[in-house]
Amino acid sequence: MNTIRPLDHIARTKPYVPGGKLHGAAGPVAMLASNENPFGASPLAIEAVRKAAGAGLEVYPDPDYGELRAAIAAAKGIRDVSRVVTSAGSDEIIHLLTQCYAGPGDEVLFTEHAFSMYEVSARGHGATVVKAPETDMTAGVNAILGAVSPKTKILFLANPNNPTGTMLSVEALQALQDALPDHVLFVVDGAYSEYLGPEYEAALRDLVDRRDTTVMMRTFSKIYGLAALRLGWAYMPAAIAQTYQRIRGPFNVNTLAAAAGIASVGDEAFLKLSRDHNTEWRAKMTEALNAMGLPTPPSHANFIVSEFGSAERAAAAFQHLKNHAILVRAIAGYGLPTKLRITVGSAADNTRCLDALKDFTASR
């Protein structure tokens, strides 16, 4: 009999469920489940990866990632490079911050429809999960503050939020930040912030400088189109960055990812192309789905969330799209069983999806 058992809090942790892939389709698949950039990566990033792959793969990366951190700081208007840290995707930042600051007996706070990796990481480190209620899928300052206790060690808040696409204003973020007690680490997840533009990105950066208990985390997986390379970064107060660096793996970012990040972070033309396309098609899709009788509220990210009226109808729509080689995201696991999340993809894929849903609603 096997007597090797995981720790109780690990055994109780439910794994993250990704968007998945659609295999065996007869024709091209419209992948609208994982919020990927339909343009792929910046041509500059692709060229940088090719160049990096051609030489030096037997050599470990620079453990300090000085060039990558300097490129990020320059592109994002950050003066102190020592407060920029790198990661293998933003998931690693969630994991390492939780490891640093929360454990058994502590509480990790987020809202009820938050990105599920917050819960996976909190439970995986033995911390207690606390979820603040949302109103119309939107976080509220008072609701969050009402869930804070002396045991709260970390507040994770994605803004815009995944999977809902909703967000708090900068003013609301500042009010929340000012009202949080000093024992709470406020982690603002800006994974989708580039879709709102440089002004909002700067506001998140400045939020970190307003108070030394705030961290801003980011990813290259979304607008930069580098999801396959797993690259993230964060801007932190100096003391928190020093703590983070104590347990960060010495070579946590691979050479190809670092090269792609350096090349793409300052490619403003590619960012504008991606942002403009997303803004245009997000509005078109929202309008079209509302016209079909599928309530779709405004989103601030690169996806939309549509209401189908019942869990059964949402499941039927998901299967209908799948039968047409279109994969979207079912979000019942987020407590939203009557809704589907649809990535803003290419013009062709968006049109395919809308046409298939039009056929679905006409028959049901």
Side-chain angles (χ1 to χ4, degrees):
M1 181 177 179
N2 188 354
T3 59
I4 299 175
R5 297 284 186 272
L7 297 172
D8 288 345
H9 62 268
I10 299 295
R12 292 194 299 268
T13 301
K14 295 180 180 179
Y16 175 76
V17 180
K21 300 293 182 182
L22 204 167
H23 302 288
V29 175
M31 292 295 299
L32 303 179
S34 299
N35 307 335
E36 297 151 340
N37 189 330
F39 294 108
S42 159
L44 299 180
I46 295 170
E47 180 56 33
V49 168
R50 289 194 179 112
K51 187 174 181 180
L57 292 186
E58 76 283 2
V59 178
Y60 284 106
D62 170 16
D64 187 55
Y65 298 102
E67 188 177 357
L68 173 60
R69 293 162 65 213
I72 292 169
K76 304 304 180 181
I78 295 172
R79 296 180 181 178
D80 188 350
V81 179
S82 70
R83 293 168 59 191
V84 175
V85 303
T86 56
S87 63
S90 58
D91 289 350
E92 186 182 38
I93 300 170
I94 298 168
H95 172 77
L96 292 179
L97 287 176
T98 306
Q99 184 177 350
C100 286
Y101 295 104
D106 300 324
E107 294 176 353
V108 174
L109 172 62
F110 40 89
T111 62
E112 65 175 312
H113 301 307
F115 181 45
S116 62
M117 280 305 298
Y118 307 150
E119 181 166 356
V120 170
S121 189
R123 294 192 186 280
H125 289 91
T128 299
V129 167
V130 177
K131 298 183 182 182
E134 297 175 3
T135 301
D136 296 329
M137 300 194 303
T138 304
V141 172
N142 290 337
I144 291 172
L145 292 174
V148 173
S149 81
K151 294 182 179 181
T152 307
K153 293 299 178 70
I154 305 176
L155 164 62
F156 285 110
L157 181 67
N159 206 61
N161 183 52
N162 173 31
T164 63
T166 57
M167 66 179 291
L168 293 176
S169 67
V170 172
E171 293 74 20
L173 289 175
Q174 292 172 344
L176 175 59
Q177 181 188 48
D178 290 341
L180 284 170
D182 289 339
H183 66 269
V184 178
L185 177 63
F186 183 24
V187 182
V188 183
D189 185 346
Y192 298 91
S193 58
E194 288 89 356
Y195 287 104
L196 284 95
E199 185 175 344
Y200 178 68
E201 290 189 80
L204 290 190
R205 176 201 65 207
D206 295 345
L207 202 67
V208 180
D209 293 330
R210 291 181 81 242
R211 197 169 175 192
D212 62 4
T213 55
T214 302
V215 166
M216 173 187 69
M217 52 181 279
R218 305 286 285 276
T219 183
F220 280 84
S221 295
K222 302 308 175 186
I223 201 168
Y224 291 102
L226 299 179
L229 294 180
R230 313 309 302 129
L231 181 61
W233 65 277
Y235 180 45
M236 304 178 171
I240 294 172
Q242 290 166 8
T243 300
Y244 175 94
Q245 298 287 27
R246 288 175 182 268
I247 61 170
R248 175 186 66 84
F251 307 107
N252 62 327
V253 174
N254 71 73
T255 295
L256 303 186
I262 292 165
S264 63
V265 72
D267 189 349
E268 293 298 331
F270 181 78
L271 291 178
K272 185 178 186 304
L273 171 71
S274 301
R275 185 165 50 244
D276 289 351
H277 171 87
N278 184 72
T279 301
E280 176 188 355
W281 273 98
R282 185 178 61 198
K284 287 181 177 179
M285 294 171 75
T286 299
E287 181 180 7
L289 290 164
N290 279 314
M292 293 178 203
L294 301 174
T296 305
S299 169
H300 301 278
N302 68 334
F303 56 83
I304 53 179
V305 176
S306 293
E307 169 64 48
F308 287 81
S310 70
E312 293 76 16
R313 191 166 184 246
F318 178 87
Q319 188 60 49
H320 177 83
L321 292 172
K322 196 172 180 180
N323 292 342
H324 287 76
I326 303 165
L327 188 63
V328 299
R329 186 66 183 268
I331 48 178
Y334 283 92
L336 299 167
T338 66
K339 304 176 188 293
L340 296 177
R341 191 191 71 188
I342 306 170
T343 301
V344 178
S346 67
D349 285 350
N350 297 337
T351 301
R352 279 180 64 192
C353 183
L354 292 174
D355 287 345
L357 285 174
K358 190 174 182 179
D359 291 341
F360 174 80
T361 56
S363 61
R364 303 192 186 210

